Amino acid sequence: MARTKRAAGSGLCNIGVATDDPNLPVAGTGRLSFVRKSKRSKWRAGVLVGVHTLVALHITHYLIAGRTLSPVEPSESMYTLELGYMNCGFIFFAIALVGTVIFGRFFCGWGCHIVALQDACAWMMKKLGVRPKPFRSRFLAFAPLAVAFYMFALPSLRRLVSGDARDTFPGFTNHLMTNNLWATFPGPVFGILTLAICGFAAVYFLGAKGFCTYGCPYGALFGGLDYASPGRIVVNDDCEQCGHCTATCTSNVRVHEEVRLYGMVVDPGCMKCMDCVSVCPKGALRFSFALPSVLKKAPATPRARRFDLPLSDELLVGFVGAAATLTFRDLYNGPPLLMSIGLGGITAFLSLKLWHLVRQQGVRIQNLELKASGRIRRSGWVVAILSVLWLAFTCHSAFAQWHRAWGRHDLNRTEVLRADGLSGAFRAATLSDRHERASAEAFRHFSWADRSGLVGVVEVKLGLAWCYVLKGDLTEAQRYARQALALAPDRPELRQNVADLERAAQPSPAERFALGELLASSGKLEEAAVEFEACVAAAPDSAPARFNLGSVLRRLGRNDAAIEQLQSVRRLAPDDPDVLVELGLAYMAAGSNREAIESFKRAVALNPESPESKLRLPGLIEQLEGRGGSGTNTR
């Protein structure tokens, strides 16, 4: 256990830093202004520059060769776990996780490009006189764990609980090489915005390593494994609790307090940057292997639990952060996951500051004083107005995203397969009330999302196109499919959608004939008649088309039209007994018994075993003779 030296009767360490002081000291100001610079920071900067050099070489190889290793990004592990794509990102992430179990959470500090960006941003801000103060929230700290669950566990869990035999793991396939390095990355605009949000904005509003603390899903896994790692920053008895280590730490770890209580750093936020080791004036800190923190006993005098925010503020931050993250996720086909998480955290922070402007006497954002002694300053009004505008935009976006999400949900509950929708075969099926309700609700939600959105969204346009397919309006379906293609002209599947709908809107006579048969067999005679009429118009000499049209018209009670069609068929196929039987039935329905008898007799002559003719003839003859044989028509 570390030896603690105190000034007599003061309760302070040797330079006046209280060991139970809840405020994190900041290097370069006040009583700790003599803290020396870390010699390890240059080494770490060199390593991070090397990491970015490797990234540049990877991109250069792809641009030259047109084919290269798949992205070495932990996010690629999602495709491995869900689709079985064995890629370089999964292998790299697995190695990093195993390394964390052994050496602790070192990858974040020495190999992460987002950490490098945040450190660079913090360094530049300090040069400008802005020293980012960490924003500490209990509830928001769970965000990385929730996102990690969504990315890496939820797909497998959904597969296990679905019980659908079709939703089985497809097995691993080789995706170590790729012909499209950018397939899973956002475009250049949102790529730059992601770096700006997760770097500069997150550091300014949430503090150094702010995105690591409140946004990074990979950090959640590294931090969890760090508990089981023997790799630790440990202390010896030379420690005098000067606080230099805490002042230098860019990961917001209270190093001096940790080593006093535990003899080592147990906080999983420690990224093993080694700055604390470098600046310790007594050389009391070092990296070594020790008992994992998960096995470490609680200290005899545990530290008091202090929280920067009351529970009401925590609830506000947690709710707004979660809602804003869901709102910004893929908003207008834009923000990727990491950017939406950063925007969610920043929106929660601004909401809290806006609330504090109303409720508290003094409010600051870093070195910017917004309110003092109950008076809102000019900077406070500017921040308040901008925050209100941002929250109004967020609420409007949430409304559009809400309808988009419900439209997607309801559309997934419809019962028509794509092929049946394009062919029209679903019109012959008996669909449940659940389908009809889901189809109507999907159309309503997608319509609201389309009307309320500031710009068009591919998913919404496609949703409306499919809703119009279900309505049987292929003209409107084509219009929305073309709008979706205009929003993303480089996506071949959208071009295929337009082509499929154009083809469906102009079916061949054979396709219309097959659909007419399906409709007729399901009892939808009016719709079947429309299809057969189109077939006859396209091919007037088609005996099958006229025969089916006549049969359907006869069943609809339109006997004169049926007789006209069947007489035409008789001329086209004079030796077909089925035509004569159908014509006889049409004559019967029209009351022309003598003509019906003649048709049935000719059918029997061509097919002596014709059951319909043999069944109908005796009764018709008897009926005709009973009336004295007078007249040829008994309508």
Side-chain angles (χ1 to χ4, degrees), residues 104-168:
R105 187 179 177 180
F106 71 95
F107 169 76
C108 297
W110 293 83
C112 178
H113 59 286
I114 294 294
V115 167
L117 179 64
Q118 291 180 95
D119 285 349
C121 294
W123 177 80
M124 285 187 282
M125 287 181 186
K126 289 179 181 178
K127 291 293 184 181
L128 297 173
V130 179
R131 299 183 178 276
K133 179 182 177 182
F135 174 62
R136 301 184 185 276
S137 168
R138 288 167 281 170
F139 287 5
L140 207 59
F142 287 102
L145 187 61
V147 178
F149 175 82
Y150 163 77
M151 292 178 64
F152 304 117
L154 186 59
S156 299
L157 183 62
R158 186 187 293 121
R159 185 183 294 118
L160 289 174
V161 302
S162 69
D164 191 342
R166 296 171 297 179
D167 193 20
T168 57

Side-chain angles (χ1 to χ4, degrees), residues 458 461 479-490 494-495 498:
V458 169
K461 300 295 186 183
R479 184 167 73 89
Y480 280 102
R482 292 191 185 102
Q483 289 178 10
L485 177 61
L487 292 171
D490 57 334
L494 299 182
R495 194 172 302 280
V498 173

